[in-house]
Amino acid sequence: MQQRVLTGITTTGTPHLGNYVGAIRPAIKESRQSDNLSFYFLADFHALIKSREPQQVHQSSMEVAATWLALGLDTDNVVFYRQSDIPEIPELCWFLTCMAAKGLMNRAHAYKAAVDANEQGGEDPDFGVTMGLYSYPVLMAADILMFNATRVPVGKDQIQHVEMARDIAARFNHHYGEHFVLPEAVVDDHVAVLQGLDGRKMSKSYNNTIPLFLPEKQLKKHINKIKTNLLEPGEPKDPDSSTVFQVWQAFASPEQTDEMRQAFADGIAWGEAKKQLFELVNNEVSDARERYNELLQNPAHIEAVLKEGAEKARSYASPLLTKLRKAVGIHSFS
Ligand code: TRP
């Protein structure tokens, strides 16, 4: 059976090496397996939950779109669109909201984390919690169910949301008839979770990222900032506890990885290891960086690509929504 693969990217930041290695690179690879029908979208409605800076939301959407296009997403083969271009999604979101148990939402990790933090700080449990944050999983369920996606590639932190989408879909099906396929989360354990400058997981929230398309000089500077220890040149170094080595591994061939492992054992200087790392990473991203910068100079082109994607997406969403409206009892009188 043809799989429908779907995933969303929240547009709140500038894509970094961790996003590239953990999500973008595998997704683009997957998108080229022509037996699947893939949907990739900019989750800009979700961005509003995290960011109230219009300029940031807008800029990030454009950067994320340009990144995916620059890295060679084949938009003839996949459906690439902006969530906010699909009016069927918020409408479906409301149908699902009316089916989703509040108790289910109470258990969502992101909401619970906010409540826990408030309780620890002696605040009201719901302090600062918007309905957007609370209903986040319902909007995500609408994203997924709108296209009857079968496989949803996500990070571990999103598995619960996909399971909630299944629950909501099953409940809708039970009540209104079999309209939705139950989606499955796909977590690729082989994909590296990249460490950031300080050795923790590379993440915008830790402010320890290396943006993917930094100008060459700045990329070099960032790589030089990766935290190391005080071992001198000539002293053997442990690759497995080193962020430099970990990032190397995410970009290198198995042979190059073996060579670097040996170089660590032989006491390569940190400066030299970083220099080689810069060259390796720069080599992999430099062509795409050029295309990225060209694309950002030509927003009309990005817009046109997304509009075309939205049209394709709506050719799936709109007939399903017509059926769903009927199923819930909202349709023409005559
Ligand atoms: N919540 C996802 C994240 O933060 C982004 C997202 C929104 C998504 N809608 C989705 C992912 C639908 C998969 C399917 O990473």
Side-chain angles (χ1 to χ4, degrees):
M1 195 191 92
Q2 190 197 46
Q3 298 289 338
R4 285 202 184 174
V5 182
L6 174 142
T7 200
I9 314 105
T10 307
T11 52
T12 39
T14 297
H16 55 70
L17 293 185
N19 300 138
Y20 172 68
V21 166
I24 308 174
R25 190 171 63 182
I28 289 180
K29 196 168 152 210
E30 162 103 28
S31 77
R32 293 188 175 138
Q33 284 173 247
S34 55
D35 44 337
N36 288 336
L37 176 57
S38 302
F39 297 82
Y40 295 107
F41 68 96
L42 312 175
D44 52 354
F45 282 150
H46 277 100
L48 300 184
I49 297 168
K50 295 187 185 156
S51 170
R52 291 184 178 172
E53 301 300 326
Q55 184 50 35
Q56 191 199 16
V57 171
H58 188 256
Q59 179 69 21
S60 171
S61 299
M62 200 160 77
E63 288 179 356
V64 173
T67 298
W68 284 66
L69 296 176
L71 288 165
L73 183 73
D74 182 351
T75 53
D76 291 333
N77 261 324
V78 304
V79 189
F80 184 56
Y81 55 98
R82 198 163 32 193
Q83 185 184 32
S84 60
D85 281 337
I86 317 298
E88 289 82 1
I89 292 175
E91 188 168 340
L92 174 57
C93 185
W94 182 250
F95 294 173
L96 300 177
T97 300
C98 296
M99 267 287 141
K102 174 172 179 284
L104 184 68
M105 295 305 112
N106 289 340
R107 293 197 286 276
H109 297 317
Y111 169 65
K112 268 176 48 183
V115 169
D116 285 351
N118 281 335
E119 281 173 345
Q120 301 234 324
E123 293 281 2
D124 180 274
D126 280 329
F127 176 76
V129 175
T130 64
M131 285 306 294
L133 175 65
Y134 191 67
S135 310
Y136 184 110
V138 190
L139 179 55
M140 187 158 154
D143 293 331
I144 297 169
L145 302 178
M146 187 81 265
F147 300 98
N148 270 321
T150 53
R151 294 161 61 86
V152 183
V154 283
K156 286 202 181 69
D157 60 320
Q158 298 292 316
I159 297 175
Q160 188 196 34
H161 292 151
V162 180
E163 281 166 0
M164 289 178 160
R166 282 175 76 91
D167 280 0
I168 298 169
R171 197 160 171 179
F172 191 100
N173 284 350
H174 182 72
H175 193 81
Y176 291 117
E178 292 293 314
H179 294 284
F180 297 123
V181 178
L182 303 189
E184 257 173 64
V186 186
V187 179
D188 188 344
D189 290 323
H190 301 293
V191 164
V193 175
L194 222 57
Q195 291 166 9
L197 297 176
D198 58 359
R200 291 186 291 175
K201 178 187 169 186
M202 191 180 289
S203 162
K204 198 183 143 252
S205 28
Y206 294 147
N207 197 18
N208 65 355
T209 70
I210 303 177
L212 177 56
F213 291 136
L214 282 176
E216 230 170 78
K217 262 198 184 147
Q218 289 207 37
L219 177 62
K220 196 175 226 164
K221 263 198 188 157
H222 271 71
I223 287 177
N224 279 329
K225 277 196 276 186
I226 296 175
K227 198 171 148 198
T228 56
N229 55 31
L230 296 172
L231 292 174
E232 297 288 337
E235 289 187 88
K237 299 176 175 65
D238 173 28
D240 297 309
S241 61
S242 159
T243 300
V244 175
F245 184 79
Q246 200 246 1
V247 179
W248 175 271
Q249 204 166 13
F251 285 85
S253 67
E255 295 75 34
Q256 287 171 314
T257 300
D258 289 346
E259 282 164 26
M260 188 54 88
R261 189 173 278 286
Q262 188 58 49
F264 267 61
D266 295 342
I268 188 173
W270 285 122
E272 177 59 23
K274 286 177 171 178
K275 183 168 158 261
Q276 291 188 25
L277 177 61
F278 162 73
E279 276 156 19
L280 184 72
V281 174
N282 191 48
N283 210 18
E284 181 159 332
V285 303
S286 62
D287 288 351
R289 176 172 53 218
E290 218 167 286
R291 285 193 294 275
Y292 175 77
N293 289 326
E294 280 165 21
L295 281 162
L296 288 184
Q297 294 306 310
N298 191 359
H301 175 72
I302 305 177
E303 186 65 30
V305 171
L306 288 173
K307 280 279 143 67
E308 211 177 294
E311 217 170 286
K312 264 201 259 177
R314 293 191 71 193
S315 76
Y316 294 94
S318 160
L320 178 57
L321 193 73
T322 303
K323 268 178 43 195
L324 296 173
R325 280 182 149 227
K326 201 154 184 203
V328 300
I330 291 179
H331 51 101
S332 145
F333 292 145
S334 53

